[in-house]
Amino acid sequence: MRKFKPSFEDLLRSSLRSVLKNKSRTILTSLGVIIGVTSVILLTSIGTGLKKYINDQFETLGSNTLFVTPGQIFKEGGGFNQNFSSMITISFKPKDISNLKKTLKNVIILPEKSFSAEVKSKDYKKSTTIVGSTYLYGPHGNALPSDGNGRWFTKEEDEKNALVAVLGQKIAKDLFPNTTALGKKFIIKGKSLKVVGIEDARGSSMGGPSIDEFIFVPIGLANDLAGDENIQEIMVKTSTKDQVDSTKKTIEKIFLKDYNKDSFSVFDSAQLLTSINSIISTLTVALTGIAAISLVVGGIGIMNIMLVTVSERTREIGLRKAIGAYPRAILLQFLFEAVILSGLGGSIGIILGILGTMAINQIFPAQVTLGSILLAFGVSFIVGIIFGVTPARKASQLSPIEALRYE
C-alpha cells in the first residue's frame, strides 16, 4: 500500500479546522494558559514599572546624595535589616544638624521631620502628614513648585518660623476644592497657616504614602506644632559624586561622638537603590514563578482535552491510517492542535496582560517589556508541545484495524 505523506501546510490547515470546529471547547481548554500568561505579564510589568519608577526617583535626587537615619538599615553582609524598626532607639536633634554644619563645608544639609496632624479649612478637615524642613529643601529636594504654583518658603520665613506652608497637589484640592489654594489660610493645631506654594504631582515615594497629600512647613514651625524637636532623617547633598565616600566617613565620625554605631545609618542613594532593586527583582521572580504554575495547570487541561479528542476521533485516525497516512503525520497533526490551543491562549493572555498593565499603570507604576511578552508566549508554546506529546503519540500508535472497529 502506498503511504500518503501530507505537506506541512495540509497538516496545519487540518489542525486549525479541528481546533476551530468547537470554539467553546477551544476557549475553555485554553483558559488555563490565558490566565497563566496574563498573570506572568502583569506581575513582571508591575515589577519592571516599580523598579523604573524608583530609579527615576533616585535620579532626580542625584548620585551625590547621602542619607542619615536612626537605626541600622542594612545588615553587615548587605541587604535590608529585617529588625530595622526594632533597632530605632534614638531620634536626631537640632544639635546634630549644628554639628554637621560646623564640620562639613560645601554641602547642603536637609533635615526632615514628619508627623501626622489634622488640618482644617472652611469646608474640609483631614488627618495628613506634615513635613518640616528648611528653605533649601524646595530647590534641592525636588519639591520646588513650578511657575504659576507659587513658591517655596524663604530663608527669612524659615528662620522666623513663619506660619506658611507648601501643599501637595491633592491636599490643596481637598482643602480648597472650588478655588486656588494660593494665598488661602487653613488651620493646624489652632494655628492659621498661609499657603505660599503648591507642589506639582509627585505620587508616592518608593511605594509609600502619596507625597501629594503632604504639607511642607519650616522645620521650626513643625517643632512647635509637634511639641518636640525630633528629626527623623537628614539628607546631605555633596557638590560632586566624588565627595560622597569621604563625606560619608566624616558624618559617621561626627555621629559616633554622641551615638553608638548600631543606632544610626549613613548610606548613599546608590547603596539604597541597589538593595531596593534586589528585593524587587527577587519578589518579581518569585511571584512570576507562582503565576507560571497556572501555565502548568493549563497544559494539563490541554493534555486531558487532547486525550479525549483522540478517543472521539479514533475511527477517523483508523481510516486515515488505513488509506496510507504515516504515523508521523498523525502525531504532527495532534501535536499541532495542542500547540495551536496553547498559542491561542498565549495570544489572548498577552492582549489581556497588556490591557491590564495599562489599567494598573493609572494607579501604580507598571510597564510591559518585550522580554516578558516573548517569555510568556514562548512558555505557552513549550507547554503546548510538552503536554501535546502524549496524546499525539497515543493517536499515532493506534492500530488501524482496532481503530476502525472502535465505537
Side-chain angles (χ1 to χ4, degrees):
M1 181 186 294
R2 184 183 175 189
K3 291 286 186 181
F4 171 64
K5 187 176 182 181
S7 66
F8 178 86
E9 290 80 5
D10 291 333
L11 287 172
L12 186 58
R13 195 178 298 113
S14 177
S15 300
L16 280 169
R17 278 199 303 267
S18 298
V19 169
L20 297 176
K21 187 176 180 181
N22 192 331
K23 296 180 178 62
S24 298
R25 174 188 283 188
T26 297
I27 294 298
L28 290 173
T29 303
S30 304
L31 192 58
V33 176
I34 292 172
I35 294 171
V37 169
T38 302
S39 301
V40 168
I41 290 178
L42 285 177
L43 288 170
T44 54
S45 297
I46 290 172
T48 302
L50 185 58
K51 188 181 292 186
K52 182 179 182 302
Y53 173 79
I54 291 174
N55 283 327
D56 291 343
Q57 292 280 312
F58 276 92
E59 277 184 19
T60 59
L61 288 175
S63 57
N64 60 329
T65 305
L66 286 160
F67 301 90
V68 188
T69 64
Q72 276 293 326
I73 288 185
F74 301 101
K75 296 183 291 187
E76 290 186 6
F80 285 110
N81 192 336
Q82 295 179 350
N83 298 320
F84 165 65
S85 59
S86 64
M87 296 181 68
I88 299 178
T89 57
I90 64 166
S91 58
F92 301 134
K93 303 294 181 182
K95 68 178 180 65
D96 297 314
I97 307 299
S98 299
N99 291 338
L100 288 175
K101 289 180 177 179
K102 288 177 185 177
T103 308
L104 297 174
K105 305 300 178 184
N106 299 319
V107 300
I108 296 167
I109 299 171
L110 305 174
E112 187 175 312
K113 174 192 186 71
S114 60
F115 60 95
S116 293
E118 185 179 78
V119 297
K120 294 185 292 184
S121 63
K122 182 179 178 182
D123 302 311
Y124 185 86
K125 65 179 180 179
K126 180 181 182 179
S127 180
T128 191
T129 300
I130 313 299
V131 179
S133 193
T134 71
Y135 70 98
L136 294 172
Y137 188 88
H140 297 286
N142 302 302
L144 205 60
S146 60
D147 291 341
N149 284 332
R151 59 177 176 81
W152 197 259
F153 46 84
T154 64
K155 180 180 181 181
E156 184 180 7
E157 289 170 333
D158 185 9
E159 291 173 347
K160 291 183 177 180
N161 301 337
L163 298 174
V164 294
V166 178
L167 305 187
Q169 195 169 100
K170 186 177 185 306
I171 191 66
K173 292 178 180 178
D174 288 342
L175 288 172
F176 305 98
N178 301 316
T179 182
T180 177
L182 284 176
K184 302 295 189 300
K185 293 188 176 182
F186 64 98
I187 306 297
I188 304 179
K189 294 193 172 182
K191 293 183 181 291
S192 178
L193 277 66
K194 181 181 178 181
V195 180
V196 297
I198 302 171
E199 282 199 317
D200 298 336
R202 294 172 64 187
S204 64
S205 175
M206 294 180 287
S210 175
I211 299 174
D212 296 333
E213 296 193 13
F214 288 5
I215 295 177
F216 297 86
V217 300
I219 193 163
L221 174 59
N223 289 337
D224 291 341
L225 293 170
D228 61 57
E229 295 186 332
N230 297 334
I231 297 170
Q232 283 79 29
E233 182 180 84
I234 304 169
M235 190 159 57
V236 179
K237 302 197 77 168
T238 62
S239 301
T240 65
K241 184 180 178 181
D242 296 335
Q243 294 176 293
V244 167
D245 288 339
S246 59
T247 304
K248 179 180 178 181
K249 292 176 182 177
T250 302
I251 293 172
E252 288 174 342
K253 288 180 181 179
I254 294 171
F255 276 81
L256 282 173
K257 293 177 181 178
D258 297 310
Y259 304 105
N260 295 326
K261 66 176 183 177
D262 293 332
S263 62
F264 68 93
S265 298
V266 184
F267 53 92
D268 58 65
S269 54
Q271 184 181 358
L272 182 59
L273 184 60
T274 300
S275 297
I276 292 174
N277 281 339
S278 176
I279 291 173
I280 293 174
S281 297
T282 303
L283 187 61
T284 302
V285 170
L287 291 175
T288 302
I290 294 171
I293 293 174
S294 58
L295 282 172
V296 177
V297 175
I300 294 172
I302 289 174
M303 182 175 67
N304 289 338
I305 292 298
M306 291 305 299
L307 287 170
V308 171
T309 302
V310 170
S311 299
E312 290 177 346
R313 294 163 59 186
T314 299
R315 288 178 64 81
E316 174 194 331
I317 295 167
L319 181 60
R320 291 178 63 184
K321 296 189 76 172
I323 63 174
Y326 281 98
R328 182 171 175 270
I330 303 293
L331 184 145
L332 285 176
Q333 179 175 347
F334 279 87
L335 191 57
F336 284 169
E337 290 182 21
V339 171
I340 290 169
L341 285 170
S342 61
L344 178 64
S347 300
I348 296 173
I350 288 171
I351 294 171
L352 292 177
I354 292 173
L355 292 175
T357 300
M358 292 170 63
I360 291 172
N361 194 44
Q362 302 301 312
I363 56 175
F364 193 85
Q367 182 180 40
V368 177
T369 62
L370 180 61
S372 66
I373 293 175
L374 294 177
L375 173 65
F377 202 57
V379 170
S380 68
F381 267 102
I382 292 171
V383 164
I385 292 171
I386 292 174
F387 289 97
V389 166
T390 299
R393 286 185 71 252
K394 180 180 178 182
S396 67
Q397 292 173 356
L398 285 175
S399 165
I401 296 174
E402 293 297 326
L404 287 170
R405 292 173 58 185
Y406 180 82
E407 294 184 5

